[in-house]
Amino acid sequence: MNTASAEGPGLLHRSGRWCARHAWRIVTLWVLLLAGLGAADHAWGGTFADSFSLPGTGAQTGADLIEAHTTGAGGTAAPLVLHTAGGTVAAHREAVAAAVAGLDRLPDVLSVADPLNTPGAVSPRGDTARLTVRFDGNPAGFDPSYLARVDAAVEPLRAEGVTVEYGEPLGQLAAAGSADRVSEGIGLAVAVLVLLIGFGSVAAAGLPLLTAVLGLAVALGALGLLAGPFDFARASPTLAAMMGLGVGVDYALFLATRYRALLHAGAEPDEAVGRTVATSGRAVLVAAATVAMALGGLCASGVGFIGTLGIAAGLSVVVAAAASVTLTPALLGLLGRRVDRLHVRTPVAEPTGASDVWHRWALGVARRPWVSLTAGLLLLGILALPAASMRLGHVDAGAQSTARTDRRAYDLITEGFGPGANGPLTVVAQLDSGRISDPAGREDLAASLRRELTAVPGVASVTAPVTSADRALLLTTVTPATGPRDPATARLVHTLRDETVPHALAGTGATGYVTGTTAAAQTFTDTLAATLPRIVGVVVAAAFLLLLTVFRSPLIALKAAVLNLFSIAAAYGVVVAVFQWGWGGALFGVSEPVPVESYVPMMMFAIVFGLSMDYEVFLLSRIREVWLDRWDNHLAVATGIAATARVITCAALIMTSVFLAFLLSTNVAVKMLALGLGVSVVLDATVVRLLLVPASMYLFGRANWWLPERLDRLLPRLDPEGPAPASTTGPAPAPAREPGPEPDPVPTPVPLPGDRR
């Protein structure tokens, strides 16, 4: 006897039916929510800017000491690079003075350093100079109109033929407008095409798109509002758009597909919506919870920058799931039996019977499970090989297009001052009370410190240490011989921080710190590299427990986690080969090999793991549904593969197109994420779903569904997609037997512990 039938409709069933019967209320509520959040975002929303603050680290402590003890050292500094093709910058002294005065009058400017009166600010040849402007906030997050005021301030220089380029982070404000809208448009266009070809009905194709777009707009409005009181990275809206649009279409598509199958089986529209939400809707909630949990695991990194990216992406996933189980049922209720009208071909739903191509594929895997499993693992292993040489780092302006002003500023600094001038290091020595009051002692310490720093291999120059106005600090600038992205510079930072500075200050009572943008970026990289294993452990363990509770099978939960790790490693390998090794990087707008942005592996892991679980949950839900109805593992796997093949394939094509469209982004880190996520979805929808999952489940047989009785009693009941009522779906059709492993040799179905009929 079917439990659901005996106990009556559950909460999800009733809520889905209610949404269908009160469709206009739900639609109106979502429209009002969108309008309200849009208005609130416009009135009180904030801006997005990167903040790599790392409290408790030497780089952050050194920066805080400089700000506390040095006048005019607060805020965010950005260089304006001046260059003359002939002659010297000093020949334009009046224009330089006029530009300095104009910049100093701008709002949000704390100070402006005249390069002609600043030691080391003019290149040895005199044709290049760095004019440093210090802002009270990160200029990358200013309104784009601010740039016109900067242009007006430096116009006297340009009028005399002096080239003026804006370095980071001001140059980020001057970068070309984001390509996010274009990327979203491409993703939606591909989604329309895939849905029309895959399902034939215009209404069935448009419904998932409408739900996804409305949900994404609501999520972005909420995110913009949150950006007011909280700091969110510049990539947050892009990442939220990638995730929200991708999963939003997927979730609504799964519901629409199940609804159409129930209609074709003879159910009334309202009842079909209720059963859809009770089955596929529950699977959507479990899948969304898995993705959000993986993204929320990024907060365990302890790094605010990473945590906010996870929150932004997780917010879009949660909103997409909410839209799927409320707005989608409402729209289905409005369409009723008209869901298949305006078709461009004969509408299709879930396939049935053993003659379906996907059913035949599943039976083919059953005949050679070891071959299928080995082939799939071998392919993933080969793709994962480059990941062993992954080098983390920060992708700076030097990797951007030469069409950008911050890239041109970077190149001018390299030509005029040397590659290391783009990433100078500041050494801060905090003096004890005795040294503060002893001028001779300070001079001896300064001379000793400079001597030790100069002797370090890889150091191009060291400035004479200067004492802060309150005599509490000694400050000196170390210029590396190599650029910020060079591995030699990373080794130099470690050497100075861990060996040279502590040795130079030993026995003096002073405490030393290495700070500056390059040191902070390296510290950020080191912190994330050390944190990644903890994130992996937290997310995998949480996902294992969730899947164990949902599917009541330790083996299925463990298999899902392990296979996802294989697909993640393969995606890492592709990213390393393209961006770090340079294999085709120019095709994606990256002109030279670059290190993998330090936060990309962590973000990829959380997102890929969550999305992989998406397809795993939907596939295993259908397999378990047949298992609970027929107690035949062979039949359950074959029928589950066939029932979900079309919808998962279409969903994967849509999500892949959404991700790959973001390769148009001007942000190299976003390009890395887009390629890695796109590759991972393809691998999950093909190698994992079509080879590894069915092959492993055939090999494990009835062990797939084993659960110790004691553990069964401890776990809460949380079925993602319980058996559908027999009156609607009927028993699963028995496939035509083909050569291959025999079904489980159990003459009469006998439930294993944890299974319920």
Side-chain angles (χ1 to χ4, degrees):
M1 180 177 179
N2 185 281
T3 305
S5 300
E7 297 177 358
L11 176 61
L12 287 177
H13 188 125
R14 296 195 305 272
S15 68
R17 191 170 55 192
W18 189 91
C19 289
R21 292 174 177 174
H22 303 84
W24 285 114
R25 295 185 186 181
I26 300 298
V27 173
T28 302
L29 179 63
W30 275 95
V31 172
L32 290 176
L33 183 61
L34 174 61
L37 285 173
D41 180 23
H42 181 75
W44 302 295
T47 57
F48 299 91
D50 293 340
S51 175
F52 297 97
S53 176
L54 294 169
T57 63
Q60 186 65 50
T61 302
D64 293 342
L65 286 172
I66 293 174
E67 183 173 356
H69 294 275
T70 306
T71 304
T76 302
L80 277 64
V81 183
L82 318 181
H83 178 73
T84 58
T88 64
V89 175
H92 304 275
R93 185 175 297 275
E94 292 184 1
V96 171
V100 169
L103 291 167
D104 196 42
R105 288 193 294 268
L106 293 180
D108 302 308
V109 170
L110 297 177
S111 64
V112 183
D114 188 334
L116 301 181
N117 297 322
T118 303
V122 179
S123 67
R125 293 196 305 269
D127 61 346
T128 305
R130 289 177 295 186
L131 189 162
T132 302
V133 181
R134 195 168 289 277
F135 299 91
D136 61 4
N138 190 331
F142 290 176
D143 190 277
S145 62
Y146 189 85
L147 198 65
R149 307 181 72 169
V150 178
D151 290 337
V154 300
E155 180 56 31
L157 285 166
R158 288 175 171 157
E160 294 190 9
V162 177
T163 299
V164 182
E165 303 291 356
Y166 306 143
E168 287 187 321
L170 180 62
Q172 295 172 358
L173 183 65
S178 172
D180 290 359
R181 295 294 176 263
V182 176
S183 299
E184 292 165 8
I186 293 174
L188 288 173
V190 174
V192 171
L193 183 62
V194 170
L195 291 173
L196 286 177
I197 294 174
F199 295 93
S201 166
V202 173
L207 186 147
L209 296 177
L210 179 60
T211 302
V213 170
L214 186 58
L216 175 60
V218 169
L220 291 178
L223 182 61
L225 191 60
L226 289 174
F230 304 104
D231 293 330
F232 280 88
R234 287 189 304 125
S236 296
T238 301
L239 190 58
M242 291 169 63
M243 293 296 297
L245 191 58
V247 301
V249 172
D250 276 11
Y251 294 163
L253 178 59
F254 280 109
L255 267 68
T257 303
R258 174 54 70 90
Y259 171 75
R260 294 167 71 233
L262 291 171
L263 277 186
H264 295 173
E268 290 299 317
D270 288 357
E271 186 64 19
V273 173
R275 291 173 180 173
T276 294
V277 176
T279 54
S280 292
R282 187 177 281 113
V284 163
L285 293 178
V286 173
T290 308
V291 179
M293 179 187 64
L295 292 167
L298 294 173
C299 294
S301 67
V303 180
F305 173 85
I306 295 296
T308 58
L309 287 177
I311 291 172
L315 174 65
S316 68
V317 172
V318 170
V319 173
S324 296
V325 297
T326 56
L327 182 59
T328 299
L331 296 177
L332 289 173
L334 290 176
L335 288 173
R337 296 189 182 278
R338 295 168 295 179
V339 69
D340 284 335
R341 288 189 180 179
L342 301 176
H343 53 268
V344 296
R345 54 173 293 227
T346 302
V348 294
E350 294 178 353
T352 58
S355 61
D356 180 76
V357 61
W358 295 110
H359 210 138
R360 294 198 302 271
W361 172 274
L363 295 176
V365 173
R367 289 195 296 269
R368 302 177 183 86
W370 280 112
V371 173
S372 300
L373 185 65
T374 303
L377 293 177
L378 185 61
L379 176 58
L380 294 182
I382 292 173
L383 291 175
L385 285 176
S389 64
M390 182 186 292
R391 180 171 64 86
L392 301 180
H394 175 57
V395 181
D396 55 24
Q400 304 293 350
S401 167
T402 54
R404 291 180 48 152
T405 184
D406 49 355
R407 168 61 187 272
R408 295 194 295 271
Y410 186 99
D411 291 343
L412 287 174
I413 290 176
T414 299
E415 295 169 6
F417 300 91
N422 279 296
L425 307 170
T426 301
V427 175
V428 181
Q430 185 177 21
L431 306 177
D432 65 354
S433 56
R435 295 279 180 177
I436 290 176
S437 59
D438 180 10
R442 289 199 305 272
E443 292 179 5
D444 290 343
L445 179 58
S448 173
L449 178 61
R450 186 180 189 186
R451 188 166 52 251
E452 294 253 11
L453 294 173
T454 303
V456 177
V459 171
S461 64
V462 180
T463 63
V466 297
T467 307
S468 61
D470 60 1
R471 296 177 295 179
L473 306 178
L474 276 180
L475 305 171
T476 183
T477 299
V478 177
T479 302
T482 51
R485 286 182 285 116
D486 196 299
T489 303
R491 292 193 293 270
L492 176 62
V493 172
H494 291 144
T495 299
L496 295 179
R497 184 184 64 196
D498 302 332
E499 300 175 17
T500 307
V501 172
H503 180 268
L505 301 180
T508 67
T511 306
Y513 306 94
V514 180
T515 189
T517 302
T518 301
Q522 187 57 50
T523 302
F524 185 76
T525 298
D526 295 340
T527 301
L528 295 187
T531 305
L532 183 58
R534 181 168 75 240
I535 299 297
V536 171
V538 168
V539 172
V540 170
F544 173 83
L545 292 175
L546 179 61
L547 292 182
L548 176 63
T549 302
V550 169
F551 295 108
R552 316 199 72 74
S553 165
L555 192 57
I556 284 180
L558 180 62
K559 172 188 63 65
V562 171
L563 292 183
N564 286 345
L565 292 178
F566 273 102
S567 64
I568 291 169
Y572 281 171
V574 172
V575 169
V576 169
V578 171
F579 292 96
Q580 185 178 313
W581 292 3
W583 290 6
L587 298 175
F588 306 118
V590 181
S591 58
E592 59 187 88
V594 296
V596 176
E597 182 67 49
S598 55
Y599 64 84
V600 164
M602 188 175 290
M603 294 299 303
M604 275 185 61
F605 170 77
I607 296 172
V608 170
F609 195 89
L611 293 180
S612 299
M613 288 297 183
D614 252 12
Y615 296 139
E616 192 85 9
V617 166
F618 286 116
L619 174 58
L620 293 176
S621 295
R622 297 309 303 274
I623 293 175
R624 187 169 187 264
E625 179 180 341
V626 179
W627 164 257
L628 292 177
D629 189 52
R630 299 291 292 272
W631 306 103
D632 184 334
N633 182 72
H634 187 96
L635 173 65
V637 174
T639 306
I641 291 287
T644 59
R646 179 178 284 107
V647 66
I648 289 182
T649 299
C650 289
L653 286 173
I654 292 168
M655 190 169 286
T656 300
S657 68
V658 169
F659 287 150
L660 295 185
F662 280 88
L663 287 169
L664 297 175
S665 173
T666 58
N667 188 316
V668 177
V670 171
K671 291 178 184 287
M672 292 180 182
L673 282 171
L675 181 63
L677 297 179
V679 168
S680 71
V681 170
V682 171
L683 294 176
D684 278 322
T686 55
V687 178
V688 174
R689 176 173 59 89
L690 296 180
L691 287 176
L692 299 182
V693 170
S696 60
M697 294 193 73
Y698 283 134
L699 290 171
F700 292 141
R702 285 176 57 84
N704 286 310
W705 312 105
W706 172 78
L707 180 68
E709 292 187 9
R710 179 175 297 179
L711 182 58
D712 180 43
R713 290 193 297 269
L714 292 176
L715 293 175
R717 299 286 176 179
L718 183 61
D719 296 333
E721 195 169 347
S727 60
T728 300
T729 61
R737 294 298 300 149
E738 299 187 21
E742 290 293 324
D744 302 315
V746 181
T748 303
V750 178
L752 294 178
D755 291 319
R756 295 175 297 142
R757 295 210 61 150

